Short mmCIF file of all heavy atoms in Angstrom, two decimals:
data_model
loop_
_atom_site.label_atom_id
_atom_site.label_comp_id
_atom_site.label_asym_id
_atom_site.label_seq_id
_atom_site.Cartn_x
_atom_site.Cartn_y
_atom_site.Cartn_z
N SER A 17 77.40 92.10 85.09
CA SER A 17 76.88 90.76 85.19
C SER A 17 76.13 90.36 83.90
O SER A 17 75.91 89.16 83.68
CB SER A 17 75.96 90.56 86.36
OG SER A 17 74.82 91.39 86.28
N HIS A 18 75.83 91.32 83.02
CA HIS A 18 75.21 91.04 81.74
C HIS A 18 76.25 90.66 80.68
O HIS A 18 75.88 90.29 79.60
CB HIS A 18 74.40 92.23 81.24
CG HIS A 18 73.28 92.60 82.10
ND1 HIS A 18 72.70 93.87 82.12
CD2 HIS A 18 72.60 91.91 83.05
CE1 HIS A 18 71.74 93.92 82.98
NE2 HIS A 18 71.65 92.73 83.58
N CYS A 19 77.54 90.74 81.01
CA CYS A 19 78.63 90.46 80.06
C CYS A 19 79.28 89.14 80.43
O CYS A 19 79.08 88.58 81.54
CB CYS A 19 79.67 91.55 80.12
SG CYS A 19 79.03 93.22 79.82
N ARG A 20 80.13 88.65 79.52
CA ARG A 20 80.97 87.44 79.82
C ARG A 20 81.92 87.79 80.98
O ARG A 20 82.22 88.93 81.23
CB ARG A 20 81.78 87.07 78.61
CG ARG A 20 80.96 86.62 77.43
CD ARG A 20 81.90 86.29 76.28
NE ARG A 20 81.14 85.96 75.09
CZ ARG A 20 81.65 85.88 73.89
NH1 ARG A 20 82.94 86.12 73.71
NH2 ARG A 20 80.89 85.58 72.87
N SER A 21 82.45 86.75 81.62
CA SER A 21 83.34 87.00 82.78
C SER A 21 84.65 87.68 82.33
O SER A 21 85.30 88.32 83.16
CB SER A 21 83.68 85.67 83.46
OG SER A 21 84.34 84.79 82.58
N THR A 22 84.99 87.60 81.07
CA THR A 22 86.22 88.29 80.57
C THR A 22 85.92 89.70 80.14
O THR A 22 86.81 90.37 79.61
CB THR A 22 86.76 87.50 79.37
OG1 THR A 22 85.77 87.39 78.37
CG2 THR A 22 87.30 86.13 79.79
N GLU A 23 84.69 90.12 80.33
CA GLU A 23 84.26 91.50 79.89
C GLU A 23 83.59 92.23 81.08
O GLU A 23 83.24 91.62 82.06
CB GLU A 23 83.27 91.39 78.73
CG GLU A 23 83.78 90.66 77.54
CD GLU A 23 82.70 90.33 76.52
OE1 GLU A 23 81.50 90.50 76.81
OE2 GLU A 23 83.06 89.86 75.46
N PHE A 24 83.43 93.55 80.93
CA PHE A 24 82.64 94.28 81.88
C PHE A 24 81.91 95.36 81.13
O PHE A 24 82.15 95.65 79.95
CB PHE A 24 83.51 94.88 83.03
CG PHE A 24 84.41 96.04 82.64
CD1 PHE A 24 84.20 97.26 83.27
CD2 PHE A 24 85.39 95.93 81.72
CE1 PHE A 24 85.01 98.35 82.97
CE2 PHE A 24 86.21 97.01 81.39
CZ PHE A 24 86.04 98.24 82.04
N CYS A 25 80.89 95.96 81.77
CA CYS A 25 79.99 96.89 81.09
C CYS A 25 80.48 98.34 81.24
O CYS A 25 80.74 98.83 82.34
CB CYS A 25 78.59 96.77 81.74
SG CYS A 25 77.31 97.64 80.87
N VAL A 26 80.68 99.00 80.09
CA VAL A 26 81.09 100.41 80.06
C VAL A 26 80.19 101.15 79.06
O VAL A 26 80.08 100.72 77.94
CB VAL A 26 82.60 100.55 79.60
CG1 VAL A 26 82.94 102.03 79.51
CG2 VAL A 26 83.49 99.85 80.53
N ALA A 27 79.55 102.17 79.55
CA ALA A 27 78.70 103.02 78.69
C ALA A 27 77.69 102.15 77.86
O ALA A 27 77.48 102.41 76.69
CB ALA A 27 79.52 103.87 77.75
N GLY A 28 77.14 101.14 78.55
CA GLY A 28 76.09 100.30 77.90
C GLY A 28 76.60 99.26 76.94
O GLY A 28 75.81 98.62 76.26
N LYS A 29 77.94 99.01 76.91
CA LYS A 29 78.48 98.00 76.00
C LYS A 29 79.45 97.09 76.77
O LYS A 29 80.20 97.58 77.63
CB LYS A 29 79.28 98.64 74.85
CG LYS A 29 78.46 99.53 73.96
CD LYS A 29 77.64 98.76 72.97
CE LYS A 29 76.89 99.70 72.06
NZ LYS A 29 75.84 99.04 71.35
#
Side-chain angles (χ1 to χ4, degrees):
S17 63
H18 297 158
C19 304
R20 295 178 185 168
S21 62
T22 56
E23 303 168 351
F24 75 118
C25 189
V26 176
K29 300 281 183 196

